[in-house]
Amino acid sequence: QHYFIQSNLRMSLFKLTKNSRPLAARCMSMLVNDPAYSWLGDVGIKELNEGVYDGSWGGRGKVVPSISPINEQPIANVIEGTVEDYEDVVRASKEASKQWAMTPAPVRGEVIRQIGENLRAKLEPLGKLVSLEMGKILPEGIGEVQEAVDIADYATGLSRMINGKVIPSERPAHMMLEQWHPLGVVGVITAFNFPVAPYFWNFTIASVCGNACLWKGAPTTSLSGIACTRLIAEVLDANKLPGGLSGLVSGGADVG
């Protein structure tokens, strides 16, 4: 019952702020500017956050506040993406996937390992952000980020175990090989009640298999997606890899 009440409150707040966003943005102080929430800066959250990433940050959509269901206060503003932004990210992801598919699987696994280490280093502030933005209790928020860390560890090991079959042939002096090929770009849509873990369940496995990913999170938990993507982007930049390998588009149903 608690979760149903929380969910209904969340939707009511979203509808309220959707109709009064400019007023809310102007008149209500952001939690990101409150010293008690200074830890938001540890995961890259600012007063105004660009919600589209394809190697560079941007967004041509509306500016909307992310409202915490815990205290009904705006955490920070997000610049949402448009359909045009979405198309740009798709193009960047398709291009990035070509290079990534030719990268040896163990090398892909090493990149995912580094991403997992970045998540592990920011476990507590990321967990706090999930709790603040989504409304779940803090141990659940931290636990969700821990799931992302754990699946990154699993995918790292998997990158050295992507096997194919050697199949006998009916032709003399021949054999058949089974070889798996990447799909290309994998789209991942996540819900507000689990704003972090499901993306990494998909992204880490798809990535070590040679695919690029595009993340569309719930519009009420955009900051969680932005914070996680910033940590991913740090690793991609450090390894001189294209940002389109983990694209992000924040926004409503018009973009996914």
Side-chain angles (χ1 to χ4, degrees):
Q1 183 179 6
H2 167 72
Y3 291 110
F4 284 121
I5 292 172
Q6 189 178 76
S7 178
N8 290 336
L9 172 62
R10 184 63 164 167
M11 292 307 298
S12 297
L13 286 171
F14 179 65
K15 291 176 182 177
L16 174 64
T17 56
K18 186 177 181 180
N19 294 328
S20 59
R21 279 167 178 161
L23 180 62
R26 288 197 305 268
C27 300
M28 299 175 70
S29 60
M30 299 286 170
L31 294 180
V32 71
N33 295 323
D34 186 333
Y37 296 90
S38 60
W39 50 266
L40 287 167
D42 295 339
V43 288
I45 300 303
K46 305 170 292 185
E47 185 171 342
L48 183 62
N49 301 273
E50 294 167 312
V52 177
Y53 180 75
D54 61 1
S56 59
W57 289 93
R60 290 170 282 188
K62 297 174 293 185
V63 176
V64 300
S66 178
I67 306 294
S68 172
I70 296 174
N71 54 24
E72 303 182 21
Q73 294 295 309
I75 304 169
N77 281 328
V78 175
I79 305 174
E80 292 186 331
T82 63
V83 174
E84 291 75 22
D85 289 321
Y86 164 78
E87 296 293 346
D88 288 344
V89 177
V90 169
R91 281 190 287 270
S93 294
K94 285 182 176 179
E95 191 61 32
S97 69
K98 298 175 184 178
Q99 173 185 343
W100 194 235
M102 299 304 294
T103 302
V107 176
R108 299 194 294 250
E110 168 58 18
V111 173
I112 294 301
R113 186 196 66 79
Q114 293 174 31
I115 290 172
E117 288 300 307
N118 252 17
L119 292 169
R120 184 179 280 109
K122 300 295 184 180
L123 182 67
E124 185 171 342
L126 272 179
K128 286 182 178 180
L129 176 58
V130 171
S131 175
L132 181 66
E133 189 174 39
M134 182 266 146
K136 62 177 64 178
I137 61 174
L138 182 58
E140 289 286 339
I142 293 176
E144 182 171 344
V145 181
Q146 183 63 53
E147 287 195 40
V149 173
D150 293 343
I151 196 65
D153 288 344
Y154 174 81
T156 299
L158 181 67
S159 69
R160 293 182 177 271
M161 298 185 293
I162 303 175
N163 301 319
K165 297 177 181 178
V166 178
I167 305 168
S169 172
E170 61 186 19
R171 298 174 61 189
H174 281 75
M175 63 180 179
M176 296 183 289
L177 299 177
E178 179 186 65
Q179 183 179 28
W180 296 90
H181 294 276
L183 295 172
V185 180
V186 176
V188 184
I189 299 176
T190 56
F192 88 96
N193 57 329
F194 282 94
V196 170
Y199 178 68
F200 286 94
W201 295 338
N202 287 275
F203 162 66
T204 56
I205 303 299
S207 186
V208 297
C209 292
N211 301 288
C213 287
L214 195 165
W215 188 2
K216 166 59 178 66
T220 51
T221 52
S222 294
L223 294 176
S224 295
I226 291 169
C228 288
T229 300
R230 287 193 179 281
L231 295 179
I232 294 171
E234 287 179 5
V235 173
L236 296 180
D237 289 345
N239 287 274
K240 296 180 173 56
L241 293 168
L245 291 177
S246 183
L248 173 73
V249 182
S250 305
D254 55 329
V255 293

